[in-house]
Coordinates of all heavy atoms in Angstrom, one line a residue:
M12 N 188.4 33.4 219.1 CA 187.0 33.1 219.1 C 186.2 34.5 219.4 O 186.6 35.2 220.3 CB 186.7 32.1 220.3 CG 185.2 31.8 220.4 SD 184.8 30.6 221.7 CE 186.0 29.3 221.6
D13 N 185.3 34.7 218.5 CA 184.5 36.0 218.7 C 183.5 35.8 219.8 O 183.0 34.7 220.0 CB 183.8 36.3 217.3 CG 184.7 36.7 216.2 OD1 185.8 37.2 216.5 OD2 184.4 36.4 215.1
I14 N 183.1 36.9 220.4 CA 182.1 36.8 221.4 C 180.9 37.7 221.0 O 181.2 38.9 220.6 CB 182.6 37.3 222.8 CG1 183.7 36.3 223.2 CG2 181.6 37.5 223.8 CD1 184.4 36.7 224.5
P15 N 179.7 37.3 221.0 CA 179.2 36.0 221.5 C 179.6 34.9 220.5 O 179.7 35.1 219.3 CB 177.7 36.2 221.6 CG 177.4 37.2 220.6 CD 178.6 38.1 220.5
A16 N 179.7 33.7 221.0 CA 180.0 32.5 220.2 C 179.2 31.3 220.6 O 179.0 31.1 221.8 CB 181.5 32.2 220.4
K17 N 178.7 30.6 219.7 CA 178.0 29.3 219.9 C 179.1 28.3 220.3 O 180.1 28.1 219.6 CB 177.2 28.8 218.7 CG 176.2 29.8 218.3 CD 175.0 29.8 219.3 CE 173.9 30.7 218.8 NZ 172.9 30.9 219.8
V18 N 178.9 27.6 221.5 CA 179.9 26.7 222.0 C 179.2 25.4 222.6 O 178.0 25.4 222.8 CB 180.7 27.3 223.1 CG1 181.6 28.4 222.6 CG2 179.9 27.8 224.3
Y19 N 180.0 24.4 222.8 CA 179.6 23.2 223.6 C 180.3 23.3 224.9 O 181.5 23.5 224.9 CB 179.8 21.9 222.8 CG 179.0 21.8 221.6 CD1 179.6 22.0 220.3 CD2 177.7 21.5 221.7 CE1 178.8 21.9 219.2 CE2 176.9 21.3 220.5 CZ 177.5 21.6 219.3 OH 176.7 21.4 218.1
I20 N 179.6 23.1 226.0 CA 180.2 23.4 227.3 C 180.3 22.0 228.1 O 179.3 21.3 228.1 CB 179.3 24.3 228.1 CG1 179.1 25.6 227.4 CG2 179.9 24.6 229.5 CD1 177.8 26.3 227.8
T21 N 181.5 21.8 228.6 CA 181.7 20.7 229.5 C 182.2 21.2 230.8 O 183.3 21.9 230.9 CB 182.7 19.6 228.9 OG1 182.2 19.1 227.7 CG2 182.9 18.5 229.9
C22 N 181.5 21.0 231.9 CA 181.9 21.4 233.3 C 181.3 20.4 234.3 O 180.2 20.5 234.6 CB 181.3 22.8 233.5 SG 181.8 23.5 235.1
P23 N 182.2 19.5 234.7 CA 181.7 18.5 235.7 C 181.1 19.0 236.9 O 180.1 18.5 237.4 CB 183.0 17.7 236.0 CG 184.0 18.0 234.9 CD 183.6 19.4 234.4
S24 N 181.6 20.1 237.5 CA 181.0 20.7 238.7 C 179.6 21.2 238.5 O 178.8 21.2 239.5 CB 181.9 21.8 239.3 OG 182.0 22.9 238.4
A25 N 179.2 21.6 237.3 CA 177.9 22.0 237.0 C 177.1 20.9 236.3 O 175.9 21.1 235.9 CB 177.9 23.3 236.1
E26 N 177.7 19.7 236.2 CA 177.0 18.6 235.6 C 176.6 18.9 234.1 O 175.5 18.5 233.7 CB 175.8 18.1 236.4 CG 176.3 17.6 237.8 CD 175.1 17.0 238.6 OE1 174.0 16.9 238.1 OE2 175.4 16.7 239.7
L27 N 177.5 19.5 233.4 CA 177.3 19.8 232.0 C 178.3 19.0 231.2 O 179.5 19.0 231.5 CB 177.5 21.3 231.7 CG 176.6 22.3 232.4 CD1 177.1 23.7 232.0 CD2 175.2 22.1 231.9
K28 N 177.8 18.3 230.2 CA 178.6 17.5 229.3 C 178.2 17.7 227.8 O 177.1 17.3 227.4 CB 178.6 16.0 229.6 CG 179.5 15.2 228.8 CD 179.6 13.8 229.4 CE 180.7 13.0 228.6 NZ 180.7 11.6 229.0
K29 N 179.0 18.5 227.1 CA 178.7 18.9 225.7 C 177.4 19.5 225.6 O 176.6 19.3 224.6 CB 178.8 17.6 224.8 CG 180.2 17.1 224.8 CD 180.3 15.9 223.8 CE 181.7 15.3 223.8 NZ 181.8 14.0 223.0
Q30 N 177.1 20.4 226.5 CA 175.8 21.2 226.5 C 175.9 22.4 225.6 O 176.9 23.2 225.7 CB 175.5 21.7 227.9 CG 174.3 22.6 228.0 CD 173.0 21.8 227.9 OE1 172.9 20.6 228.4 NE2 172.0 22.4 227.4
P31 N 175.0 22.5 224.6 CA 175.1 23.7 223.7 C 174.8 25.0 224.5 O 174.0 25.0 225.4 CB 174.1 23.4 222.6 CG 173.3 22.2 223.0 CD 174.0 21.6 224.2
G32 N 175.5 26.0 224.1 CA 175.3 27.3 224.8 C 175.9 28.4 224.0 O 176.4 28.2 222.9
T33 N 175.9 29.6 224.6 CA 176.5 30.8 224.0 C 177.4 31.4 224.9 O 177.0 31.8 226.1 CB 175.4 31.8 223.6 OG1 174.4 31.2 222.7 CG2 176.0 33.0 222.8
L34 N 178.7 31.6 224.5 CA 179.7 32.3 225.4 C 179.4 33.8 225.2 O 179.4 34.4 224.1 CB 181.1 32.0 224.9 CG 182.2 32.8 225.6 CD1 182.3 32.4 227.1 CD2 183.5 32.4 224.9
I35 N 179.2 34.4 226.4 CA 178.8 35.9 226.4 C 180.0 36.7 226.8 O 180.3 37.8 226.2 CB 177.7 36.1 227.4 CG1 176.4 35.3 227.0 CG2 177.3 37.6 227.5 CD1 175.9 35.6 225.6
A36 N 180.8 36.2 227.7 CA 182.0 37.0 228.2 C 183.0 36.1 228.9 O 182.6 35.0 229.4 CB 181.5 38.1 229.2
V37 N 184.2 36.6 229.0 CA 185.3 36.0 229.7 C 185.7 37.0 230.7 O 186.2 38.1 230.4 CB 186.5 35.5 228.8 CG1 187.6 34.9 229.7 CG2 186.0 34.6 227.7
S38 N 185.6 36.7 232.0 CA 185.9 37.6 233.1 C 187.3 37.5 233.5 O 187.9 36.4 233.6 CB 185.0 37.4 234.3 OG 185.4 38.1 235.4
A39 N 187.9 38.7 233.9 CA 189.3 38.7 234.4 C 189.3 38.1 235.8 O 190.3 37.8 236.4 CB 189.8 40.1 234.5
N40 N 188.1 37.9 236.4 CA 188.0 37.3 237.7 C 187.9 35.8 237.7 O 187.7 35.1 238.7 CB 186.7 37.8 238.4 CG 186.8 39.3 238.7 OD1 187.9 39.8 239.0 ND2 185.7 40.0 238.5
G41 N 188.1 35.1 236.5 CA 188.2 33.7 236.5 C 187.0 32.9 236.1 O 186.9 31.8 236.5
Y42 N 186.0 33.5 235.4 CA 184.9 32.7 235.0 C 184.4 33.1 233.6 O 184.7 34.1 233.1 CB 183.7 32.9 236.0 CG 183.2 34.3 236.1 CD1 182.2 34.8 235.3 CD2 183.7 35.2 237.1 CE1 181.7 36.1 235.3 CE2 183.2 36.5 237.2 CZ 182.2 36.9 236.3 OH 181.7 38.2 236.4
Y43 N 183.7 32.1 233.0 CA 183.0 32.4 231.7 C 181.5 32.7 232.1 O 180.9 32.1 232.9 CB 183.0 31.1 230.9 CG 184.3 30.6 230.4 CD1 184.7 29.3 230.8 CD2 185.1 31.4 229.5 CE1 185.9 28.9 230.3 CE2 186.3 30.9 229.1 CZ 186.7 29.6 229.5 OH 187.9 29.2 229.0
E44 N 181.0 33.7 231.3 CA 179.5 33.9 231.4 C 178.9 33.3 230.1 O 179.3 33.6 229.0 CB 179.2 35.4 231.4 CG 177.7 35.6 231.4 CD 177.3 37.1 231.4 OE1 178.2 38.0 231.5 OE2 176.1 37.3 231.2
V45 N 178.1 32.3 230.3 CA 177.4 31.6 229.2 C 175.9 31.6 229.4 O 175.4 31.7 230.5 CB 177.9 30.1 229.1 CG1 179.4 30.1 228.8 CG2 177.7 29.4 230.4
H46 N 175.2 31.5 228.3 CA 173.8 31.3 228.3 C 173.5 29.9 227.8 O 174.0 29.5 226.8 CB 173.1 32.3 227.4 CG 173.1 33.7 227.9 ND1 172.6 34.8 227.2 CD2 173.6 34.3 229.1 CE1 172.7 35.9 227.9 NE2 173.4 35.6 229.1
V47 N 172.7 29.2 228.6 CA 172.4 27.8 228.3 C 170.9 27.6 228.3 O 170.2 28.2 229.2 CB 173.0 26.9 229.4 CG1 172.7 25.4 229.1 CG2 174.5 27.1 229.5
Q48 N 170.4 26.9 227.4 CA 168.9 26.6 227.3 C 168.6 25.4 228.1 O 169.2 24.3 227.9 CB 168.5 26.4 225.8 CG 167.1 26.3 225.6 CD 166.5 27.3 224.8 OE1 167.2 28.1 224.2 NE2 165.2 27.4 224.7
F49 N 167.6 25.5 229.0 CA 167.1 24.3 229.7 C 165.6 24.4 229.5 O 164.9 25.3 229.9 CB 167.4 24.4 231.2 CG 168.8 24.2 231.5 CD1 169.6 25.3 231.9 CD2 169.4 23.0 231.4 CE1 170.9 25.1 232.2 CE2 170.8 22.8 231.7 CZ 171.5 23.9 232.1
G50 N 165.1 23.4 228.7 CA 163.7 23.4 228.4 C 163.4 24.6 227.5 O 164.1 24.8 226.5
S51 N 162.4 25.4 227.8 CA 162.0 26.5 227.0 C 162.7 27.8 227.5 O 162.4 28.9 227.0 CB 160.5 26.7 226.9 OG 160.0 26.9 228.2
N52 N 163.5 27.7 228.5 CA 164.1 28.9 229.1 C 165.6 29.0 228.9 O 166.3 28.0 228.9 CB 163.8 28.9 230.6 CG 162.4 29.0 231.0 OD1 161.6 29.7 230.4 ND2 161.9 28.1 231.9
T53 N 166.1 30.2 228.8 CA 167.5 30.4 228.7 C 168.0 31.0 230.0 O 167.4 31.9 230.6 CB 167.8 31.4 227.5 OG1 167.3 30.9 226.3 CG2 169.3 31.7 227.4
H54 N 169.1 30.4 230.5 CA 169.7 30.8 231.8 C 171.1 31.3 231.6 O 171.9 30.7 230.9 CB 169.6 29.6 232.8 CG 168.3 29.1 233.1 ND1 167.5 29.6 234.1 CD2 167.5 28.2 232.4 CE1 166.3 29.0 234.1 NE2 166.3 28.1 233.1
A55 N 171.4 32.3 232.4 CA 172.8 32.8 232.5 C 173.5 32.0 233.5 O 173.0 31.8 234.6 CB 172.9 34.3 232.8
M56 N 174.8 31.5 233.2 CA 175.6 30.8 234.1 C 177.0 31.4 234.2 O 177.5 31.8 233.2 CB 175.7 29.3 233.7 CG 174.4 28.5 233.7 SD 174.6 26.8 233.3 CE 175.3 26.2 234.8
L57 N 177.6 31.4 235.4 CA 178.9 31.8 235.5 C 179.7 30.5 235.9 O 179.4 29.9 236.9 CB 179.1 32.8 236.7 CG 178.3 34.1 236.5 CD1 178.4 35.0 237.7 CD2 178.7 34.8 235.2
L58 N 180.6 30.1 235.0 CA 181.4 28.8 235.2 C 182.8 29.1 235.4 O 183.4 30.0 234.7 CB 181.2 28.0 233.9 CG 179.7 27.6 233.6 CD1 179.6 26.9 232.3 CD2 179.2 26.7 234.7
P59 N 183.5 28.4 236.3 CA 184.9 28.7 236.6 C 185.8 28.2 235.4 O 185.6 27.1 234.8 CB 185.2 27.8 237.8 CG 184.1 26.8 237.8 CD 182.9 27.4 237.2
I60 N 186.7 29.1 234.9 CA 187.5 28.8 233.8 C 188.3 27.5 234.0 O 188.5 26.7 233.1 CB 188.4 30.0 233.5 CG1 187.6 31.2 232.9 CG2 189.5 29.6 232.5 CD1 188.3 32.5 232.7
T61 N 188.8 27.4 235.3 CA 189.7 26.2 235.6 C 189.0 24.9 235.5 O 189.7 23.9 235.3 CB 190.3 26.4 237.0 OG1 189.3 26.5 237.9 CG2 191.2 27.6 237.1
E62 N 187.7 24.8 235.5 CA 187.0 23.6 235.5 C 186.1 23.4 234.3 O 185.4 22.4 234.2 CB 186.0 23.5 236.7 CG 186.8 23.5 238.0 CD 185.8 23.5 239.2 OE1 184.7 23.1 239.1 OE2 186.2 24.0 240.3
T63 N 186.2 24.3 233.3 CA 185.3 24.3 232.2 C 186.1 24.2 230.9 O 187.1 24.9 230.7 CB 184.5 25.6 232.2 OG1 183.8 25.8 233.4 CG2 183.5 25.6 231.1
A64 N 185.6 23.4 230.0 CA 186.1 23.3 228.6 C 185.0 23.8 227.7 O 183.8 23.4 227.8 CB 186.4 21.8 228.3
L65 N 185.4 24.6 226.7 CA 184.5 25.1 225.7 C 185.0 24.7 224.3 O 186.2 24.8 224.0 CB 184.5 26.7 225.7 CG 184.0 27.3 227.0 CD1 184.1 28.8 226.9 CD2 182.6 26.9 227.4
L66 N 184.1 24.2 223.5 CA 184.4 23.8 222.2 C 183.5 24.7 221.2 O 182.3 24.7 221.4 CB 184.0 22.3 222.0 CG 184.0 21.7 220.6 CD1 185.5 21.7 220.1 CD2 183.4 20.4 220.5
N67 N 184.2 25.4 220.4 CA 183.5 26.3 219.4 C 182.7 25.4 218.5 O 183.1 24.4 217.9 CB 184.5 27.1 218.6 CG 183.9 28.3 217.9 OD1 182.7 28.3 217.7 ND2 184.7 29.2 217.6
A68 N 181.4 25.8 218.3 CA 180.5 25.0 217.5 C 180.8 25.1 216.0 O 180.5 24.2 215.2 CB 179.0 25.5 217.7
E69 N 181.5 26.2 215.6 CA 181.9 26.4 214.2 C 183.3 25.7 214.0 O 184.2 26.0 214.8 CB 182.0 27.9 213.9 CG 180.7 28.6 214.0 CD 179.7 28.2 213.0 OE1 180.0 27.9 211.8 OE2 178.5 28.0 213.4
P70 N 183.4 25.0 212.9 CA 184.7 24.3 212.7 C 185.7 25.4 212.3 O 185.4 26.4 211.7 CB 184.4 23.4 211.5 CG 183.1 23.9 210.9 CD 182.4 24.6 212.0
V71 N 187.0 25.1 212.6 CA 188.1 26.0 212.2 C 188.4 26.0 210.7 O 188.6 27.1 210.1 CB 189.3 25.7 213.0 CG1 190.5 26.5 212.6 CG2 189.1 25.8 214.5
L72 N 188.4 24.9 210.1 CA 188.8 24.7 208.7 C 187.7 24.0 208.0 O 187.4 22.8 208.4 CB 190.1 24.0 208.6 CG 190.6 23.7 207.2 CD1 190.9 25.0 206.4 CD2 191.8 22.9 207.3
T73 N 187.2 24.5 207.0 CA 186.3 23.8 206.1 C 186.9 23.7 204.7 O 187.1 24.8 204.1 CB 184.9 24.6 206.0 OG1 184.4 24.8 207.3 CG2 183.9 23.8 205.1
P74 N 187.3 22.6 204.3 CA 187.9 22.4 203.0 C 187.0 22.9 201.8 O 185.8 22.7 201.9 CB 188.2 20.9 202.8 CG 187.9 20.3 204.1 CD 187.1 21.3 204.9
P75 N 187.6 23.6 200.9 CA 186.8 24.1 199.7 C 186.2 22.9 198.9 O 186.8 21.8 199.0 CB 187.7 24.9 198.9 CG 189.1 24.5 199.3 CD 189.0 24.0 200.7
A76 N 185.1 23.1 198.3 CA 184.5 22.1 197.4 C 185.5 21.6 196.4 O 186.2 22.4 195.8 CB 183.3 22.6 196.7
G77 N 185.6 20.3 196.2 CA 186.5 19.7 195.3 C 187.9 19.5 195.8 O 188.8 19.0 195.2
F78 N 188.1 19.8 197.1 CA 189.4 19.6 197.7 C 189.7 18.1 198.0 O 188.8 17.4 198.5 CB 189.5 20.3 199.1 CG 190.8 20.1 199.8 CD1 191.9 20.8 199.4 CD2 190.9 19.2 200.8 CE1 193.1 20.6 200.1 CE2 192.0 19.0 201.5 CZ 193.2 19.7 201.2
E79 N 190.8 17.6 197.5 CA 191.2 16.2 197.7 C 192.6 16.1 198.3 O 193.5 16.9 197.9 CB 191.1 15.5 196.4 CG 189.7 15.3 195.9 CD 189.6 14.5 194.6 OE1 190.5 13.6 194.4 OE2 188.7 14.7 193.8
L80 N 192.8 15.2 199.2 CA 194.1 15.0 199.8 C 194.8 14.0 198.9 O 194.3 12.9 198.7 CB 194.0 14.5 201.2 CG 195.2 14.3 202.0 CD1 196.0 15.6 202.1 CD2 194.9 13.7 203.3
E81 N 196.0 14.3 198.5 CA 196.8 13.4 197.6 C 197.5 12.4 198.5 O 198.2 12.8 199.5 CB 197.8 14.2 196.8 CG 198.5 13.4 195.8 CD 199.4 14.2 194.9 OE1 199.0 15.3 194.5 OE2 200.5 13.8 194.6
R82 N 197.4 11.2 198.2 CA 198.0 10.1 199.0 C 199.1 9.4 198.2 O 199.1 9.2 197.1 CB 197.0 9.1 199.6 CG 196.0 9.8 200.5 CD 195.0 8.8 200.9 NE 194.0 9.6 201.8 CZ 193.5 9.1 202.9 NH1 193.8 7.9 203.3 NH2 192.6 9.8 203.5

């Protein structure tokens, strides 16, 4: 995953569930630095790696046009 990356953030301790944000950094000290939009403001958050799930907003594989799976 490239940094910065658009992600969806789930972190129960921060009460975030599939919150869109931007991954800014991964710290060797055990946290993610993310930017999250609340209302019209963007906030920097430090979230513990052990309690946080990040889902890349960009899909890994996009089938080319006309691609069909043979069954």
Side-chain angles (χ1 to χ4, degrees):
M12 182 182 310
D13 294 329
I14 294 178
K17 297 291 183 188
V18 294
Y19 293 104
I20 307 158
T21 299
C22 182
S24 62
E26 297 183 5
L27 298 175
K28 186 171 184 182
K29 296 182 184 174
Q30 175 74 34
T33 303
L34 174 64
I35 301 300
V37 180
S38 168
N40 296 321
Y42 63 85
Y43 295 118
E44 179 183 350
V45 294
H46 288 179
V47 180
Q48 183 119 12
F49 291 107
S51 61
N52 299 315
T53 301
H54 298 271
M56 296 183 76
L57 301 177
L58 301 172
I60 291 174
T61 57
E62 299 177 24
T63 305
L65 299 179
L66 173 66
N67 196 339
E69 296 296 320
V71 174
L72 174 66
T73 304
F78 177 80
E79 292 183 29
L80 181 61
E81 189 174 318
R82 295 178 186 222

